[in-house]
Amino acid sequence: MFLVEIVTLLALLQFFGFGIMVGRARGKYGVNAPAVTGHENFERVHRVQMNTLELLVMFLPALWIAANYASPAIVSGLGCLYLAGRLVYFQAYTSNPAKRGPGFGLSVLPIMILIVIGLLGAISAAIA
């Protein structure tokens, strides 16, 4: 399970990093807390952080539940795909939000697969 633990901690570090980028964008674009609107480029960075938070609520439980029923290596691989998707999403959204689709897809697809793995595993365990 150490692979799942590593992916979990990397996801948290990634989210923390996005938070740091929001703080830097606040200074760069003059958007003082508690405001979350102002300069468009700040709003893009902030939106990436918030979208990542929204997905973490699904990703982390799905990752751990799936790891109970499938190979931790496979589950961790899906987790790495999620992390890569978040980076692609960040790059796209901060440069041209219209091109955020592939990064979003690379983030959501692994979550959906993890949910299916966990659900099928739990159902199988319940009827066994």
Side-chain angles (χ1 to χ4, degrees):
M1 291 291 274
F2 70 92
L3 292 174
V4 177
E5 294 166 353
I6 290 169
V7 169
T8 299
L9 294 170
L10 288 173
L12 295 175
L13 284 171
Q14 184 180 61
F15 181 68
F16 185 74
F18 289 164
I20 290 170
M21 290 177 192
V22 170
R24 287 182 180 162
R26 279 189 182 282
K28 182 176 182 179
Y29 300 111
V31 180
N32 297 320
V36 293
T37 60
H39 195 282
E40 180 181 349
N41 289 337
F42 163 77
E43 292 176 16
R44 290 177 183 186
V45 175
H46 181 260
R47 190 62 215 132
V48 169
Q49 182 198 30
M50 289 300 98
N51 183 261
T52 301
L53 177 60
E54 293 159 2
L55 291 183
L56 275 174
V57 171
M58 293 183 288
F59 172 67
L60 292 175
L63 181 76
W64 280 90
I65 293 169
N68 284 318
Y69 302 106
S71 161
I74 291 172
V75 170
S76 297
L78 289 166
C80 288
L81 184 60
Y82 163 85
L83 292 171
R86 291 285 78 204
L87 290 175
V88 171
Y89 184 82
F90 179 86
Q91 291 297 324
Y93 203 96
T94 56
S95 64
N96 181 356
K99 295 185 177 184
R100 71 189 184 278
F104 185 76
L106 285 172
S107 301
V108 173
L109 180 62
I111 293 172
M112 296 310 299
I113 294 170
L114 291 167
I115 289 171
V116 169
I117 290 170
L119 185 58
L120 292 176
I123 290 170
S124 176
I127 60 176

